[in-house]
Amino acid sequence: MTDIATYNFAYLDEQTKRMIRRAILKGIAIPGYQVPFASREMPMPYGWGTGGVQVTASIIGPDDVLKVIDQGADDTTNAVSIRAFFKKVANVAVTTETAKATIIQTRHRIPEHPLSAGQVLVYQVPIPEPLRFLEPRETETRKMHALEEYGLMHVKLYEDIARHGRIATTYAYPVKVEGRYVMDPSPTPKFDNPKMHRSPALQLFGAGREKRIYAVPPFTEVVSLDFEDHPFEVQTFDQPCALCAAENVYLDEVILDDHGGHMFVCSDTDHCEKRREEGHRGHLAPETPLALEKTEPAQ
Amino acid sequence: MTDEPLLRVSALSKFYGSRVGCENVTFDLWPGEVLAVVGESGSGKTTLLNCLSTRLLPSSGTASYRMRDGQFRELYRMSEAERRFLMRTDWGFVHQNPADGLRMTVSAGANVGERLMAVGDRHYGKIRATAVDWLSRVEIDEDRIDDEPRAFSGGMRQRLQIARNLVTGPRLVFMDEPTGGLDVSVQARLLDLLRGLVTDLGLAAIVVTHDLAVARLLSQRMMVMKDGRVVESGLTDRVLDDPRAPYTQLLVSSILQV
Amino acid sequence: MPTPLVVSDVAKSFTMHLRDGIRLPVVAGVSFSIQAGECAVLGGPSGAGKSSILKMLYGNYAVDEGQIIVQHDDGLIDLATASPRTVLAVRRQTIGYVSQFLRTVPRVSALDVVAEPLVERGEEREAAREKSRSLLAELNLPEKLWALPPATFSGGEQQRVNIARGFITEHPILLLDEPTASLDARNRDVVIALIAAKKAAGVALLGIFHDHDVREAVADRIIDVTAFAAGKIAA
């Protein structure tokens, strides 16, 4: 316990947590609306998830089980360090298993395993303003949200079709929340957009540098913008995961050598491992299943 | 011919502190009518235009607009949301500098289509077809539809701005020196185009210009402003051929003969 | 049948503010009326105010005093005090005007210049163009010019376009400001025939004709403008 004596529980002081919780509650009350908050300096650089970390720090309790993913993976630098951070400052249990986590902080993916009621998904958001691409003035974008003037959002999609023959936006694909606010779902692949729609989990979004928090409460309508003659559709992959043979999941391309060898594997590492444990085999899967850390108890 | 005006302006004044922007301006504008507001820089014509288009709130006076449902609405009592909606559906505003009225970093087609998408059009093919139609009406080749206005000449940009404004079939268009800063030959083409569009579409327009030739070609009625006040108004050809006010006579006599 | 045009006690002067407010009276006490089917001609030397009277009747010049009563739209309108909007309506429906010179608009073809007043009165564009073609043919304007803007035409060609534009409509009152000034004999005769046809159709015409032969051919009556002289001050 000496490890954490120098910190308040979950790093932030209680006043700050209350301030952030108020912002979160307001965000939940107005789904999709960007609530300004007094973002704090965190012991990591902007762009490393300072917004998500502050949201997580404000909602986490001693009994929570935390999972952190970066682009779907539990074992990349960002995920590992944030997981280590909360183990240290909150002494909470951590896991890589989606189903066992109560809070999942994510950078740019939604887990393949369906989320359930009671779970909270915390997104790290770099640029929360979906209109920013075409309208640089914050005063103007706020007014556009207030007056529900979203023609500009479709201008962006129009430009895509005009230039590429189809909507070429593949990530940070804008959505309309509960028929009112247009929202940036953070740079998740549009493959994940349908998972947001009427999700039983609470979804919270934190942008540290931009000082905005927004939220999608459970079972909220989240509709991806599109045109009647160019309807929204998700990415499809013409081959299954090379390791676990999963279909209809989001795949990452992995380069194998410097001769052009590559394979497509699940971006969600937990999902992939689970399937391999269950005996699924892709065409490039090793003979013996990998044994990785699963749930670590609180220290 | 409707029996009611489209816009009723009464005793409109705008003061900047103790300085007069425009003072006590009263007029009616009927559907299909083009009103030119002329005067030199600082005469208050742009202040008046900005007040009428609700880009600026007047210090006193009223302006009511007959909405599509036939009801008059007091412009300065509308909510901002209503005014902005009016601005991108039933009204147009053509700026002197096209960069102020266009999105310079999106394609010509999207510039024209934006208003359609803003009012809920969600069919890409139809939006694009409408954009193509409007580009041809303002004499821009169809193959420029995916180019950004940054790549357009001044005259083309201005024509694009006009198309962008007219695509929703507005009933009233405000124009601030629409031919300012263009070469004479480009001006003539634009004026002729505007004249045709205004007639074909039955648009009402309020055109601010310091160029009396522009006023003569485009407008049926004219108001001459000096120091924020209207010093003379009437039929455009009457004001230009038989100017009564000293200032109007000075203006008319200052036209260079070619 | 009511009198289409009654002018009573009209006075006009110009105040030249740029020249110390000097006042130039043009005409005063102008009173006359024109009957349907009649062609009256304003007579008098240059500078007597003939053109000014025509311009007042068309609303192009302001009127200082008096009344210009026009039979318009089943009612009577005083043009001297009418609003600009009313004047425009009168021009569209009731009073036609052939000016001395054509005011050209860039890029509009002669055919459309002539057809325009009909289109403004609500006629289909193609039907209006058809009438325009037949009038231009009657006035012997070479067909190869029809599709061109008249800006570059000769004086006589422009004048014929102007006449066609004035005669194409069925305005009950027609004002003619020297329509034959730059025409050759053959085309003058065409204009005389056109005027006769208008008279037969019951149009009230008022014109200025310096050409003696034309005046003799069309005038039912001369209105002597010198009678309305307003004690001229040499300018």
Side-chain angles (χ1 to χ4, degrees), chain C residues 8-87:
Chain C
S8 52
D9 264 333
V10 163
K12 170 73 187 169
S13 66
F14 291 110
T15 306
M16 314 297 276
H17 292 284
L18 301 181
R19 290 160 66 188
D20 303 322
I22 181 176
R23 194 168 157 273
L24 302 174
V26 182
V27 287
V30 180
S31 299
F32 60 84
S33 61
I34 316 283
Q35 304 296 322
E38 176 188 38
C39 179
V41 172
L42 294 173
S46 285
K50 301 187 295 290
S51 265
S52 293
I53 292 174
L54 275 195
K55 285 178 172 168
M56 283 190 283
L57 296 185
Y58 197 57
N60 182 227
Y61 277 6
V63 177
D64 293 352
E65 285 171 30
Q67 291 181 314
I68 298 168
I69 306 295
V70 179
Q71 178 76 31
H72 167 75
D73 208 11
D74 294 331
L76 296 176
I77 297 273
D78 180 6
L79 270 186
T81 56
S83 70
R85 183 172 132 82
T86 309
V87 175

Coordinates of all heavy atoms in Angstrom, one line a residue, chain C residues 8-87:
Chain C
S8 N -53.6 67.3 -68.0 CA -54.1 68.7 -67.6 C -53.2 69.5 -66.8 O -52.7 69.0 -65.7 CB -55.5 68.5 -67.0 OG -55.5 67.7 -65.9
D9 N -52.9 70.7 -67.2 CA -52.1 71.6 -66.5 C -50.8 71.1 -66.0 O -50.3 71.4 -64.9 CB -52.9 72.2 -65.3 CG -53.6 73.5 -65.7 OD1 -53.1 74.2 -66.6 OD2 -54.7 73.7 -65.1
V10 N -50.1 70.3 -66.8 CA -48.8 69.8 -66.4 C -47.7 70.8 -66.6 O -47.7 71.5 -67.6 CB -48.5 68.5 -67.2 CG1 -47.0 68.1 -67.1 CG2 -49.4 67.4 -66.7
A11 N -46.9 70.9 -65.6 CA -45.7 71.8 -65.6 C -44.5 71.0 -65.3 O -44.5 70.1 -64.5 CB -45.9 73.0 -64.7
K12 N -43.4 71.5 -65.9 CA -42.1 70.8 -65.7 C -40.9 71.8 -65.7 O -40.9 72.6 -66.6 CB -41.9 69.7 -66.8 CG -40.5 69.1 -66.8 CD -40.3 68.1 -65.6 CE -38.9 67.6 -65.5 NZ -38.7 66.9 -64.2
S13 N -40.1 71.7 -64.8 CA -38.9 72.5 -64.8 C -37.7 71.7 -64.3 O -37.9 70.7 -63.6 CB -39.0 73.8 -63.9 OG -39.2 73.4 -62.6
F14 N -36.5 72.1 -64.6 CA -35.3 71.4 -64.0 C -34.6 72.4 -63.1 O -34.5 73.6 -63.4 CB -34.3 71.0 -65.1 CG -34.8 69.9 -66.0 CD1 -35.1 70.2 -67.3 CD2 -34.9 68.7 -65.5 CE1 -35.6 69.2 -68.2 CE2 -35.4 67.6 -66.4 CZ -35.7 67.9 -67.7
T15 N -34.3 71.9 -61.9 CA -33.5 72.7 -61.0 C -32.0 72.2 -61.0 O -31.8 71.0 -60.7 CB -34.0 72.7 -59.6 OG1 -35.4 73.0 -59.6 CG2 -33.3 73.6 -58.6
M16 N -31.1 73.0 -61.4 CA -29.7 72.6 -61.6 C -29.0 72.9 -60.3 O -28.4 74.0 -60.2 CB -29.1 73.2 -62.8 CG -29.9 73.2 -64.1 SD -30.3 71.6 -64.6 CE -28.8 71.3 -65.6
H17 N -28.9 72.0 -59.4 CA -28.2 72.2 -58.1 C -26.8 72.4 -58.3 O -26.1 73.1 -57.5 CB -28.5 71.1 -57.2 CG -29.9 71.0 -56.8 ND1 -30.5 71.8 -55.8 CD2 -30.9 70.1 -57.2 CE1 -31.8 71.5 -55.7 NE2 -32.1 70.5 -56.5
L18 N -26.2 71.9 -59.3 CA -24.8 72.0 -59.5 C -24.4 73.4 -60.1 O -23.3 73.8 -60.2 CB -24.2 70.9 -60.4 CG -24.5 69.5 -59.9 CD1 -23.9 68.5 -60.9 CD2 -23.9 69.3 -58.5
R19 N -25.4 74.1 -60.5 CA -25.2 75.4 -61.1 C -26.0 76.4 -60.2 O -26.9 77.1 -60.7 CB -25.6 75.5 -62.5 CG -24.6 74.7 -63.4 CD -25.1 74.3 -64.7 NE -25.3 75.5 -65.6 CZ -25.9 75.4 -66.7 NH1 -26.4 74.2 -67.2 NH2 -26.1 76.5 -67.5
D20 N -25.7 76.5 -59.0 CA -26.3 77.4 -58.0 C -27.8 77.3 -58.0 O -28.5 78.3 -57.7 CB -25.8 78.8 -58.3 CG -24.3 79.0 -58.3 OD1 -23.7 78.3 -57.5 OD2 -23.8 79.7 -59.2
G21 N -28.3 76.2 -58.2 CA -29.8 76.0 -58.1 C -30.6 76.7 -59.1 O -31.8 77.0 -58.9
I22 N -30.0 77.0 -60.3 CA -30.7 77.7 -61.3 C -31.9 76.8 -61.8 O -31.8 75.6 -61.9 CB -29.7 78.0 -62.5 CG1 -30.5 78.7 -63.6 CG2 -29.1 76.7 -63.1 CD1 -29.5 79.1 -64.7
R23 N -33.0 77.5 -62.0 CA -34.2 76.7 -62.4 C -34.6 76.9 -63.8 O -34.6 78.1 -64.3 CB -35.4 77.2 -61.5 CG -36.6 76.3 -61.5 CD -37.6 76.7 -60.4 NE -38.9 76.3 -60.7 CZ -39.8 76.9 -61.5 NH1 -39.4 78.1 -61.9 NH2 -40.9 76.4 -61.7
L24 N -34.7 75.9 -64.5 CA -35.0 75.9 -66.0 C -36.4 75.4 -66.2 O -36.6 74.2 -66.2 CB -34.0 75.1 -66.8 CG -32.5 75.3 -66.6 CD1 -31.7 74.3 -67.4 CD2 -32.2 76.7 -67.1
P25 N -37.4 76.4 -66.4 CA -38.7 75.9 -66.7 C -38.7 75.3 -68.1 O -38.1 75.8 -69.0 CB -39.6 77.2 -66.7 CG -38.6 78.3 -66.3 CD -37.2 77.8 -66.5
V26 N -39.5 74.2 -68.3 CA -39.5 73.6 -69.6 C -40.9 73.9 -70.2 O -41.0 74.5 -71.3 CB -39.2 72.1 -69.5 CG1 -39.3 71.5 -70.9 CG2 -37.9 71.9 -68.8
V27 N -41.9 73.4 -69.6 CA -43.3 73.6 -70.1 C -44.2 73.9 -68.9 O -43.9 73.6 -67.7 CB -43.8 72.4 -70.8 CG1 -43.2 72.2 -72.2 CG2 -43.7 71.1 -70.0
A28 N -45.3 74.5 -69.2 CA -46.3 74.8 -68.1 C -47.7 74.8 -68.8 O -47.8 75.0 -70.0 CB -46.1 76.1 -67.4
G29 N -48.7 74.4 -68.0 CA -50.1 74.4 -68.5 C -50.3 73.5 -69.6 O -51.1 73.7 -70.5
V30 N -49.6 72.4 -69.7 CA -49.8 71.4 -70.7 C -51.1 70.7 -70.5 O -51.3 70.0 -69.5 CB -48.6 70.3 -70.8 CG1 -48.9 69.4 -71.9 CG2 -47.3 71.0 -70.9
S31 N -52.0 70.9 -71.5 CA -53.3 70.2 -71.4 C -53.7 69.7 -72.8 O -53.7 70.4 -73.7 CB -54.4 71.2 -70.9 OG -54.0 71.7 -69.6
F32 N -54.0 68.4 -72.8 CA -54.6 67.8 -74.1 C -55.1 66.4 -73.7 O -54.8 65.9 -72.7 CB -53.5 67.8 -75.2 CG -52.3 67.0 -74.9 CD1 -52.3 65.6 -75.1 CD2 -51.1 67.6 -74.5 CE1 -51.2 64.9 -74.9 CE2 -50.0 66.9 -74.2 CZ -50.0 65.5 -74.4
S33 N -55.8 65.9 -74.6 CA -56.1 64.5 -74.4 C -56.0 63.7 -75.8 O -56.1 64.3 -76.8 CB -57.6 64.3 -73.9 OG -58.5 64.9 -74.8
I34 N -55.9 62.4 -75.7 CA -55.8 61.6 -76.9 C -56.9 60.6 -76.9 O -57.1 59.9 -75.9 CB -54.4 60.8 -77.0 CG1 -53.2 61.7 -76.6 CG2 -54.2 60.2 -78.3 CD1 -52.8 62.7 -77.6
Q35 N -57.6 60.4 -78.0 CA -58.6 59.5 -78.1 C -58.1 58.1 -78.6 O -57.0 58.1 -79.3 CB -59.7 60.0 -79.1 CG -60.3 61.3 -78.8 CD -61.0 61.3 -77.5 OE1 -61.7 60.4 -77.1 NE2 -60.9 62.4 -76.7
A36 N -58.9 57.1 -78.4 CA -58.5 55.8 -78.9 C -58.6 55.9 -80.4 O -59.5 56.5 -81.0 CB -59.4 54.7 -78.4
G37 N -57.6 55.3 -81.2 CA -57.6 55.2 -82.6 C -57.1 56.5 -83.2 O -57.3 56.7 -84.4
E38 N -56.6 57.4 -82.4 CA -56.1 58.7 -82.9 C -54.6 58.8 -82.8 O -54.0 58.2 -81.9 CB -56.7 59.8 -82.1 CG -56.3 61.2 -82.4 CD -56.8 62.2 -81.4 OE1 -56.8 61.9 -80.2 OE2 -57.1 63.3 -81.8
C39 N -54.0 59.4 -83.8 CA -52.6 59.7 -83.7 C -52.3 61.2 -83.6 O -52.6 61.9 -84.6 CB -51.8 59.1 -84.9 SG -50.0 59.4 -84.8
A40 N -52.0 61.7 -82.5 CA -51.7 63.1 -82.3 C -50.2 63.3 -82.4 O -49.4 62.4 -82.0 CB -52.2 63.6 -81.0
V41 N -49.7 64.4 -82.9 CA -48.3 64.7 -83.1 C -48.0 66.0 -82.3 O -48.7 67.0 -82.5 CB -47.9 64.8 -84.6 CG1 -46.5 65.2 -84.7 CG2 -48.1 63.5 -85.2
L42 N -46.9 65.9 -81.5 CA -46.4 67.1 -80.8 C -45.6 67.9 -81.8 O -44.7 67.5 -82.4 CB -45.6 66.8 -79.6 CG -46.3 66.0 -78.5 CD1 -45.3 65.5 -77.4 CD2 -47.3 66.9 -77.9
G43 N -46.0 69.2 -82.0 CA -45.3 70.1 -82.9 C -44.6 71.2 -82.2 O -45.0 71.6 -81.1
G44 N -43.6 71.8 -82.9 CA -42.9 72.9 -82.3 C -41.4 72.7 -82.6 O -41.0 71.6 -82.9
P45 N -40.7 73.8 -82.4 CA -39.3 73.7 -82.7 C -38.5 72.9 -81.7 O -39.0 72.6 -80.6 CB -38.8 75.2 -82.7 CG -39.8 75.9 -81.8 CD -41.1 75.1 -82.0
S46 N -37.3 72.6 -82.0 CA -36.4 71.9 -81.0 C -36.3 72.7 -79.8 O -36.2 73.9 -79.8 CB -35.0 71.7 -81.6 OG -35.0 70.7 -82.6
G47 N -36.3 72.0 -78.6 CA -36.1 72.7 -77.4 C -37.5 73.2 -76.8 O -37.5 73.8 -75.7
A48 N -38.6 73.0 -77.5 CA -39.9 73.4 -77.0 C -40.4 72.6 -75.9 O -41.3 72.9 -75.2 CB -40.9 73.5 -78.2
G49 N -39.8 71.4 -75.7 CA -40.2 70.5 -74.6 C -41.0 69.3 -75.1 O -41.7 68.6 -74.3
K50 N -41.0 69.0 -76.4 CA -41.8 67.9 -76.9 C -41.3 66.5 -76.2 O -42.1 65.8 -75.7 CB -41.6 67.7 -78.4 CG -42.0 69.0 -79.2 CD -42.0 68.7 -80.7 CE -40.6 68.5 -81.2 NZ -39.7 69.6 -81.3
S51 N -40.0 66.3 -76.2 CA -39.5 65.1 -75.6 C -39.8 65.0 -74.2 O -40.1 63.9 -73.6 CB -38.0 65.0 -75.9 OG -37.7 64.2 -77.0
S52 N -39.6 66.2 -73.5 CA -39.9 66.2 -72.0 C -41.3 65.8 -71.8 O -41.6 65.1 -70.8 CB -39.7 67.6 -71.5 OG -38.3 67.9 -71.6
I53 N -42.3 66.2 -72.6 CA -43.7 65.8 -72.4 C -43.8 64.3 -72.5 O -44.4 63.7 -71.7 CB -44.6 66.6 -73.4 CG1 -44.6 68.1 -73.0 CG2 -46.0 66.0 -73.3 CD1 -45.4 69.0 -74.0
L54 N -43.2 63.8 -73.6 CA -43.3 62.3 -73.8 C -42.8 61.6 -72.6 O -43.3 60.6 -72.1 CB -42.6 61.9 -75.1 CG -43.3 62.0 -76.4 CD1 -42.5 61.2 -77.4 CD2 -44.7 61.5 -76.3
K55 N -41.6 62.1 -72.1 CA -40.9 61.4 -71.0 C -41.8 61.5 -69.7 O -41.8 60.5 -68.9 CB -39.5 62.0 -70.8 CG -38.6 61.5 -71.9 CD -37.2 62.0 -71.8 CE -36.3 61.3 -72.8 NZ -35.0 62.0 -72.9
M56 N -42.5 62.6 -69.5 CA -43.3 62.7 -68.4 C -44.5 61.7 -68.5 O -44.9 61.1 -67.5 CB -43.9 64.1 -68.2 CG -42.9 65.1 -67.6 SD -43.6 66.7 -67.2 CE -43.8 67.4 -68.8
L57 N -45.0 61.6 -69.7 CA -46.1 60.6 -69.9 C -45.7 59.2 -69.7 O -46.5 58.3 -69.4 CB -46.7 60.8 -71.3 CG -47.3 62.1 -71.7 CD1 -47.9 62.1 -73.1 CD2 -48.3 62.5 -70.7
Y58 N -44.4 58.9 -69.8 CA -43.9 57.6 -69.6 C -43.4 57.4 -68.2 O -42.9 56.3 -67.8 CB -42.8 57.3 -70.7 CG -42.5 55.8 -70.8 CD1 -43.6 54.9 -71.1 CD2 -41.3 55.3 -70.6 CE1 -43.3 53.6 -71.3 CE2 -41.0 53.9 -70.7 CZ -42.0 53.1 -71.1 OH -41.8 51.7 -71.2
G59 N -43.4 58.5 -67.4 CA -42.9 58.3 -66.0 C -41.4 58.4 -65.9 O -40.8 58.2 -64.9
N60 N -40.8 58.8 -67.0 CA -39.3 58.8 -67.1 C -38.8 60.2 -66.5 O -37.7 60.2 -66.0 CB -38.9 58.7 -68.5 CG -37.4 58.7 -68.7 OD1 -36.8 59.4 -69.6 ND2 -36.7 57.9 -67.9
Y61 N -39.6 61.2 -66.6 CA -39.4 62.5 -66.0 C -40.4 62.7 -64.9 O -41.6 62.4 -65.1 CB -39.4 63.6 -67.0 CG -38.2 63.9 -67.8 CD1 -37.1 63.0 -67.8 CD2 -38.1 65.0 -68.7 CE1 -36.0 63.2 -68.5 CE2 -37.0 65.2 -69.4 CZ -35.9 64.3 -69.4 OH -34.8 64.5 -70.1
A62 N -40.0 63.3 -63.8 CA -40.9 63.7 -62.8 C -41.8 64.9 -63.3 O -41.4 65.7 -64.1 CB -40.2 64.0 -61.5
V63 N -43.0 65.0 -62.7 CA -43.9 66.1 -63.1 C -44.0 67.0 -61.9 O -44.2 66.6 -60.7 CB -45.3 65.4 -63.4 CG1 -46.3 66.5 -63.7 CG2 -45.2 64.4 -64.5
D64 N -43.9 68.3 -62.1 CA -43.9 69.3 -61.0 C -45.4 69.5 -60.6 O -45.7 69.6 -59.4 CB -43.3 70.6 -61.5 CG -41.8 70.5 -61.7 OD1 -41.3 69.4 -61.4 OD2 -41.2 71.5 -62.2
E65 N -46.2 69.8 -61.6 CA -47.6 70.1 -61.3 C -48.5 69.4 -62.3 O -48.0 69.1 -63.4 CB -47.8 71.6 -61.5 CG -47.2 72.5 -60.4 CD -47.3 74.0 -60.8 OE1 -48.3 74.4 -61.6 OE2 -46.4 74.8 -60.4
G66 N -49.8 69.4 -62.0 CA -50.8 68.9 -62.9 C -51.0 67.4 -62.9 O -50.5 66.7 -62.0
Q67 N -51.8 66.9 -63.8 CA -52.2 65.5 -63.7 C -52.0 64.9 -65.1 O -52.2 65.5 -66.1 CB -53.7 65.4 -63.4 CG -54.1 65.8 -62.0 CD -55.5 65.6 -61.7 OE1 -56.4 66.1 -62.5 NE2 -55.9 65.0 -60.6
I68 N -51.7 63.6 -65.1 CA -51.7 62.8 -66.3 C -52.6 61.6 -66.0 O -52.1 60.7 -65.3 CB -50.2 62.3 -66.6 CG1 -49.3 63.6 -66.9 CG2 -50.3 61.4 -67.8 CD1 -47.9 63.3 -67.0
I69 N -53.8 61.6 -66.5 CA -54.7 60.6 -66.2 C -54.7 59.5 -67.3 O -54.9 59.8 -68.4 CB -56.2 61.2 -66.0 CG1 -56.2 62.3 -65.0 CG2 -57.1 60.0 -65.6 CD1 -55.8 61.9 -63.6
V70 N -54.5 58.3 -66.9 CA -54.4 57.2 -67.8 C -55.4 56.2 -67.5 O -55.7 55.9 -66.3 CB -53.0 56.5 -67.7 CG1 -52.9 55.4 -68.7 CG2 -51.9 57.5 -68.0
Q71 N -56.1 55.7 -68.5 CA -57.0 54.6 -68.4 C -56.2 53.3 -68.2 O -55.6 52.9 -69.2 CB -57.9 54.6 -69.6 CG -58.9 53.5 -69.7 CD -60.1 53.8 -68.7 OE1 -60.4 54.9 -68.5 NE2 -60.7 52.7 -68.2
H72 N -56.2 52.8 -67.0 CA -55.3 51.6 -66.8 C -56.0 50.6 -65.9 O -56.5 50.9 -64.8 CB -54.0 52.1 -66.1 CG -53.2 51.0 -65.6 ND1 -52.4 50.1 -66.4 CD2 -53.0 50.5 -64.3 CE1 -51.8 49.2 -65.6 NE2 -52.1 49.5 -64.3
D73 N -56.1 49.4 -66.4 CA -56.6 48.3 -65.6 C -58.0 48.6 -65.1 O -58.2 48.4 -63.9 CB -55.6 48.0 -64.5 CG -55.6 46.6 -64.0 OD1 -56.2 45.8 -64.7 OD2 -55.0 46.3 -62.9
D74 N -58.9 49.0 -66.0 CA -60.3 49.3 -65.6 C -60.4 50.4 -64.6 O -61.4 50.5 -63.8 CB -61.0 48.1 -65.0 CG -61.1 47.0 -66.1 OD1 -61.2 47.4 -67.3 OD2 -61.1 45.8 -65.7
G75 N -59.4 51.3 -64.5 CA -59.5 52.4 -63.6 C -58.7 53.6 -64.1 O -58.2 53.5 -65.2
L76 N -58.7 54.6 -63.4 CA -57.9 55.8 -63.8 C -56.8 56.0 -62.8 O -56.9 55.9 -61.6 CB -58.8 57.1 -63.7 CG -60.0 57.0 -64.7 CD1 -60.9 58.3 -64.5 CD2 -59.5 57.0 -66.1
I77 N -55.6 56.3 -63.4 CA -54.4 56.5 -62.7 C -53.8 57.8 -63.0 O -53.8 58.2 -64.1 CB -53.3 55.4 -63.1 CG1 -53.8 54.0 -62.8 CG2 -52.0 55.7 -62.4 CD1 -53.5 53.5 -61.4
D78 N -53.4 58.5 -61.9 CA -52.7 59.8 -62.2 C -51.2 59.5 -62.2 O -50.6 59.3 -61.1 CB -53.0 60.8 -61.1 CG -52.3 62.2 -61.4 OD1 -51.6 62.3 -62.4 OD2 -52.4 63.1 -60.5
L79 N -50.6 59.5 -63.4 CA -49.2 59.1 -63.5 C -48.3 60.1 -62.8 O -47.1 59.8 -62.4 CB -48.8 59.0 -65.0 CG -48.9 57.7 -65.6 CD1 -48.3 57.8 -67.0 CD2 -48.2 56.6 -64.8
A80 N -48.7 61.4 -62.7 CA -47.9 62.4 -62.1 C -47.6 62.1 -60.6 O -46.6 62.5 -60.1 CB -48.6 63.8 -62.2
T81 N -48.5 61.4 -60.0 CA -48.3 61.1 -58.5 C -48.2 59.6 -58.2 O -48.1 59.2 -57.1 CB -49.4 61.7 -57.7 OG1 -50.6 61.1 -58.2 CG2 -49.5 63.2 -57.8
A82 N -48.2 58.8 -59.3 CA -48.3 57.3 -59.1 C -47.0 56.8 -58.5 O -45.9 57.4 -58.7 CB -48.5 56.6 -60.4
S83 N -47.1 55.7 -57.7 CA -45.9 55.1 -57.1 C -45.0 54.4 -58.2 O -45.6 54.1 -59.3 CB -46.3 54.0 -56.1 OG -46.8 52.9 -56.8
P84 N -43.8 54.2 -58.0 CA -42.9 53.6 -59.0 C -43.5 52.3 -59.5 O -43.5 51.9 -60.6 CB -41.6 53.4 -58.3 CG -41.6 54.4 -57.2 CD -43.0 54.7 -56.8
R85 N -44.1 51.5 -58.5 CA -44.6 50.2 -58.8 C -45.8 50.3 -59.8 O -46.0 49.6 -60.7 CB -45.1 49.6 -57.5 CG -45.6 48.2 -57.6 CD -45.8 47.7 -56.2 NE -47.1 47.1 -56.0 CZ -47.3 45.8 -56.4 NH1 -46.4 45.1 -57.0 NH2 -48.5 45.3 -56.2
T86 N -46.7 51.4 -59.6 CA -47.8 51.6 -60.5 C -47.3 52.0 -61.8 O -47.8 51.6 -62.9 CB -48.7 52.7 -59.9 OG1 -49.0 52.4 -58.5 CG2 -50.0 52.8 -60.7
V87 N -46.3 52.9 -61.9 CA -45.8 53.3 -63.2 C -45.3 52.1 -63.9 O -45.5 52.0 -65.1 CB -44.6 54.4 -63.0 CG1 -44.0 54.7 -64.3 CG2 -45.2 55.6 -62.3

